[in-house]
Each structure stands twice: as structure tokens, then as C-alpha cells.
Amino acid sequence: GENVEQHPSTLSVQEGDSAVIKCTYSDSASNYFPWYKQELGKRPQLIIDIRSNVGEKKDQRIAVTLNKTAKHFSLHITETQPEDSAVYFCAASRESGATNKLIFGTGTLLAVQP
Amino acid sequence: KAGVTQTPRYLIKTRGQQVTLSCSPISGHRSVSWYQQTPGQGLQFLFEYFSETQRNKGNFPGRFSGRQFSNSRSEMNVSTLELGDSALYLCASRFQGGINEQYFGPGTRLTVT
């Protein structure tokens, strides 16, 4: 069945360092890959996404890379700040006009130490 | 533009009861999806509605049901509540076909005792 694996489950970095979170998906028909950030007690917020026709996308300190052959995608956060501390979820879905079912990874708790 | 809203925010029910949760999407969004979030299972897809029709369904028992109204507002219902149904129920809305960005509401925290 459809599955998304996410690693690591916890990640602690020093302020200013980079953080990398990796995900692997099983459904080869997946072509849309969003990342969500969820702070404690808050809703998941879409921070960046990538489609299968693109290998990399950047937005300021955040970047996502996609390797369709290996079915891997990763989130890269540079120059981490304490406010980056949160749980990050990757997800995968098949882009379709009719429906969009997101399959989520299990989440990564990122702690940025000041 | 107002974000996705959900009511109620918190709910405490007893085993065997039923519950109805409500979701109002972002204005102009016609698709609403529901997800269950628990510490053990993470975020799991329940179902998606688009133009008042259920377009996709996750692997949940028939006790979980939903509907969507003509104004795109959606409700989900859980009957015969079990302790394991305690979770954060999130809804997410998106514009419409071909545009996949989903935006989440704050969720309804359901506790079953």
C-alpha cells in the first residue's frame, strides 16, 4: 500500500547549523510532495512543496530536493533559528483534479538549541 | 482572507456516543479533506469531499462518515465512539482540481472517556 517513511524522528541542532529531513515514498505515481510545520498546539502549516517535474525548489532558508528514481525527497533548512523548532511532516500524493489524498510521514521533531 | 475554521475546538464524549464535527473552508475553496492525528498513528487521511461528493476515502471503519454542503462547509460524524477515537481531527481545504495546496484548520480535539 501507500507509505511514506520519514527520518530522523528527532533532530537536535545548534542555532545557525543546517538541518536535513529525509522521506521515502512507495507509490511511484506520486507527483506532489508538500512539507508541513506543526508547532506545539497549532495546526500544520504548509511551508514548501515540490512537484515531480522539478528536482529542487528553494524559498529563503528552506529548500526541498526530489529524486524520483530513488523515490526520495528531502527538506533542507539552513541557518536554523530557535523559531524553526517544531514537528515537520513530509507528505506525498498523486496530483489529480478530482482528489488529493495526502499520505504523511511520521514526523520529525526538530529542536534548535540557542 | 479568513483561514479554515473548525468547531468545536474541544469535545469530551463518552464511549458509545456519537459526535459531529464541523469545518468551514477558506472562501472559494471547494475541496475539504479530513485527517485524524494521534501520537501513535500520526496523520491519517479519512476522506475528501469535492462539490458535495465524497471523492476518496481512507481506511477507517464505517462509523466514520462525512458530508459536504452546497456552500462547501463539511461535517464529519463518528458514531458509537471508542476510546481509540480520541484524537485531533483536522480538516484541510484546497481551491479545486489541479491545485493541490491544502490548508489546515486548527482542529477539534476529541477526548472519549
Side-chain angles (χ1 to χ4, degrees), chain B residues 11 39 46 55-57 83 101 105 113:
Chain B
L11 208 47
L46 280 156
R55 298 302 179 108
N56 209 337
K57 191 176 190 304
L83 294 178
E101 290 85 357
T113 61

Side-chain angles (χ1 to χ4, degrees), chain A residues 3-50:
Chain A
N3 186 49
V4 175
E5 292 187 2
Q6 183 172 347
H7 298 281
S9 56
T10 60
L11 180 59
S12 181
V13 300
Q14 291 295 120
E15 183 177 358
D17 287 349
S18 295
V20 180
I21 303 170
K22 298 183 179 182
C23 290
T24 304
Y25 59 97
S26 62
D27 183 0
S28 57
S30 297
N31 54 14
Y32 174 65
F33 308 92
W35 286 86
Y36 286 86
K37 173 184 180 183
Q38 187 175 29
E39 297 176 54
L40 189 62
K42 301 258 181 95
R43 71 187 77 191
Q45 287 190 299
L46 178 67
I47 56 171
I48 195 167
D49 57 13
I50 191 168

Side-chain angles (χ1 to χ4, degrees), chain B residues 20-35:
Chain B
T20 300
L21 313 181
S22 180
C23 172
S24 292
I26 292 171
S27 177
H29 285 197
R30 294 172 60 194
S31 170
V32 174
S33 296
W34 289 88
Y35 294 85

Side-chain angles (χ1 to χ4, degrees), chain A residues 32 36 38 41-46 49 51 89 93-106, chain B residues 4 33 35 37 43 45 48 50 55-58 88 90 94 96-106:
Chain A
Y32 174 65
Y36 286 86
Q38 187 175 29
K42 301 258 181 95
R43 71 187 77 191
Q45 287 190 299
L46 178 67
D49 57 13
R51 288 173 172 79
F89 292 95
S93 77
R94 299 182 183 188
E95 188 167 39
S96 163
T99 183
N100 181 25
K101 169 184 176 181
L102 290 175
I103 306 299
F104 282 90
T106 48
Chain B
V4 180
S33 296
Y35 294 85
Q37 186 173 27
L43 277 154
F45 174 81
E48 179 180 14
F50 179 69
R55 298 302 179 108
N56 209 337
K57 191 176 190 304
L88 181 66
L90 293 157
R94 68 183 177 109
Q96 61 185 41
I99 298 175
N100 285 306
E101 290 85 357
Q102 292 191 33
Y103 298 93
F104 282 88

